[in-house]
Amino acid sequence: MAATAVSNKRVILKRYVKGFPSEEDMEVVMGEAPLMAVPAGSAAVVVKNLYISCDPYMRNRMTRHEVPSYVEDYVPGEVLTNYGVMKVISSGHPDFKTGDLVWGITGWEEYTLIDNPESLSKINHPDLPLSYYTGVLGLPGLTAYSGFFEICKPKKGEYVFISAASGAVGQIVGQLAKITGCHVIGSAGSDEKVNLLKIKFGFDNAFNYKKELDLNAALKRYFPEGIDIYFENVGGATLDAVLPNMRLRGRIAACGMISQYNLEYPDGVCNLFYIVTKRLRMEGFLVFDYYGMYHRFEEEMAAYIKEGKITYVEDIVVGLDAAPAALIGLFTGRNIGKQLVAVSQE
Amino acid sequence: MAATAVSNKRVILKRYVKGFPSEEDMEVVMGEAPLMAVPAGSAAVVVKNLYISCDPYMRNRMTRHEVPSYVEDYVPGEVLTNYGVMKVISSGHPDFKTGDLVWGITGWEEYTLIDNPESLSKINHPDLPLSYYTGVLGLPGLTAYSGFFEICKPKKGEYVFISAASGAVGQIVGQLAKITGCHVIGSAGSDEKVNLLKIKFGFDNAFNYKKELDLNAALKRYFPEGIDIYFENVGGATLDAVLPNMRLRGRIAACGMISQYNLEYPDGVCNLFYIVTKRLRMEGFLVFDYYGMYHRFEEEMAAYIKEGKITYVEDIVVGLDAAPAALIGLFTGRNIGKQLVAVSQE
């Protein structure tokens, strides 16, 4: 392949974010693409980005941290990075060849030079939608799977509550819980999402938290027996309402707290003494710790999808120009299902 | 023994408590003692109370709960109950005979008729101070032992922080942590208590939290490497300051939250997102769940005491008249070490 320089549209961070992020914190610019062939002797690969994922945790990376955070800060002027699905267009690495479909960390741009291709995974089920590797077959899927099975340790018949339940992770947790034989109820921020939970994902019930004046009372109504497992995606007031409604020896898998990410001062949670009296276990986890189980997960999840046992709803915007708004939309709840950006046709 | 009625001084709850309890919420009255011999055919025992324990959890029982709490509410006009050390003075139960020394739930009074003596435990180490069975060899000891080993799962070399560290439970946790080879620092509410921690209990360090304007900064100073294990006795602002100072995969054993017991609206804890990013496990426990390991614990702890590996400081007031103030003193931090009441000479 000839080493031609082509243009490379990219999304950069314009400035560090305080409080609620806006589209203006990012900028879509035309850059110069990396060489379309890797330099001789290099073990790098060049990829064409097909799909990129929009994830709430990216908000954390848009702030400058004095003490290093659990993920690296983005740098103003530099391209955003996150998980995506890519096609190898040039490879100096023995494990990858031109045309390979892979997923892993890439740039929010058309073409990316990846110096450490060991971080990439081959796509083993290209018969499924490739975009699924940003979601149900990618990190959100592994997050749901590892968090639910490894942290919640569910038993058949248990009562499961999931917040942000129609999101990238929540919809999978709910369906895994149903497969496990649990009774599953989810909350979401619109009636449309609530319908999705009930009709599409087979939740036993679901409610629109924005329509509940008293979340504690709502949970009492939906869980008269109490909650065995709470899959925590939102934090703040929801967590506070959940705690008194937990059953003895209940488990809370703390996956994320999206309601808190844009607050300068996080909300206070007052009901923690229930952790003592109800002998609760609240445990945080990050999917990075569970990479080791990815292949087992990928095979199991692909089989569920092919058997129709798990379905997945995506919210796909087309083109990098739409990427900043798609990312911001996660925090207003604009997305229905997993938010991602289709960057290029294969 | 003749069935003579004798007087029986007792401490009753005068009224349900809201907010901070006071001595006036209780009343010391003269009642009539139970028969000094159990009725014929009964399997009850009559005990003479020697020591009774003052414990923070009793505050919870002084409030009327609409929804039943984890412990039964006291009833105004009725005698307070809690763990104590007693001598059997009459028995209709085959397992107990007059003169036996036992510990278990009894009344805050001179003599108590106990209908279910199966709830009592024999004292297997009467060569140790009998009062220890309200503390280091009783529930506080088992609380420390089960919470530290079963919930915290400590490893040699780990960094342990204990709040209310000179209290009935904290002083034992600290010494068990030292026996385990941990680095142990405690906080307490007076310089006298801090000295006790450093000099008497062998903590690696200790500080007076009332003298720290910025608890977070204090913890950073005392734990430059971070905290692996936090044994939580106080809740509120201390918990909030601890969370950012926890190390990856740290554990928080939620034993009690004494700073919150007298508040109508508990304090909000804002730093819970660290549970996610640091993959923390926060787990509540109640000693009632660990009765099954009592005998193993009793033998191990008695041996530590006899070998001089564990020492125990008690704050003993004499006579039931002093009991209400002793109980209230737990919430102002007046006690130095385990608070108990010596009711009668053996």
Side-chain angles (χ1 to χ4, degrees), chain A residues 306-332:
Chain A
K306 289 173 187 179
E307 293 160 14
K309 287 186 180 162
I310 284 200
T311 185
Y312 200 59
V313 170
E314 300 176 316
D315 192 329
I316 306 185
V317 299
V318 177
L320 284 166
D321 290 317
L327 180 60
I328 302 304
L330 291 174
F331 301 103
T332 58

Side-chain angles (χ1 to χ4, degrees), chain B residues 53-57 132 134-149 152 160-177 184 186-187 197 201 203 230-234 253-258 261 285-287 297 301 310-314 330 335-339:
Chain B
S53 179
C54 298
D55 296 298
Y57 90 100
Y132 276 15
T134 68
V136 62
L137 289 170
L139 282 217
L142 184 59
T143 300
Y145 184 87
S146 58
F148 187 62
F149 291 114
C152 299
V160 176
F161 177 54
I162 304 164
S163 53
S166 71
V169 173
Q171 53 176 299
I172 306 170
V173 175
Q175 293 177 84
L176 290 174
V184 185
S187 64
L197 293 173
F201 301 132
F203 281 49
Y230 172 46
F231 200 96
E232 166 68 298
N233 290 312
V234 304
C255 175
M257 297 188 176
I258 195 171
Y261 295 170
F285 72 102
L286 290 177
V287 63
F297 153 79
M301 188 58 75
I310 284 201
T311 185
Y312 200 59
V313 170
E314 300 177 315
L330 291 174
N335 57 305
I336 305 280
K338 165 64 188 166
Q339 182 67 63

